[in-house]
Amino acid sequence: QVQLVESGGGLVQPGGSLRLSCAASGSIVKVNRMGWYRQAPGKERELVAALTSGGSTNYADSVKGRFTISRDNAKSTVYLQMNSLKPEDTAVYYCNMNIWTMTGYTADYWGKGTLVTVSS
């Protein structure tokens, strides 16, 4: 019923910027929590940034001041602006949303992931 499609990943040099986007489509009534996670080889998946429907945000300490999460509720889309990228930011980034559907229930949905590689 709901699909999340991510875009914006790729190769970037240290100090560069990327903007990830994730658009949800399907039987959506309202998007609640939104978040970006990442997983590097040999590491656990970690929360990078989260955004509630009320507008509160939280970030991993490693990205504070460099990354910004935002949303467009009308488009059921969440963004992650990544600035001053570092090699240690290299990971597969996953979009996550908790969504009210037309069934009247909520569910968590995940994107398939997009690879961000920060390297010179």
Side-chain angles (χ1 to χ4, degrees), residues 27-68:
S27 302
I28 299 169
V29 175
K30 182 179 183 293
V31 177
N32 297 313
R33 299 184 307 275
M34 311 175 188
W36 288 94
Y37 295 74
R38 69 185 181 188
Q39 187 169 22
K43 297 183 179 180
E44 297 289 331
R45 185 176 298 187
E46 64 173 342
L47 176 67
V48 177
L51 178 65
T52 71
S53 60
S56 63
T57 60
N58 66 281
Y59 298 91
D61 289 341
S62 60
V63 307
K64 286 182 179 178
R66 299 188 298 119
F67 291 10
T68 303

Side-chain angles (χ1 to χ4, degrees), residues 12-18 38 62-68 81-89 93 118:
V12 65
Q13 295 182 351
S17 298
L18 286 174
R38 69 185 181 188
S62 60
V63 307
K64 286 182 179 178
R66 299 188 298 119
F67 291 10
T68 303
Q81 179 66 46
M82 305 184 293
N83 298 325
S84 302
L85 284 161
K86 304 175 181 179
E88 51 263 44
D89 295 319
Y93 285 71
V118 185

Side-chain angles (χ1 to χ4, degrees), residues 2-3 10 12 22 26 34 63 67 70 75-76 96 111:
V2 176
Q3 292 184 334
V12 65
C22 176
M34 311 175 188
V63 307
F67 291 10
S70 61
K75 296 181 178 180
S76 299
N96 172 262

Side-chain angles (χ1 to χ4, degrees), residues 2-6 22-25 28 35 76 78 95-99 108-113:
V2 176
Q3 292 184 334
L4 273 55
V5 179
E6 300 157 324
C22 176
S25 62
I28 299 169
S76 299
V78 62
C95 172
N96 172 262
M97 298 187 192
N98 181 264
I99 298 173
D108 286 338
Y109 296 89
W110 290 87
K112 296 181 179 179

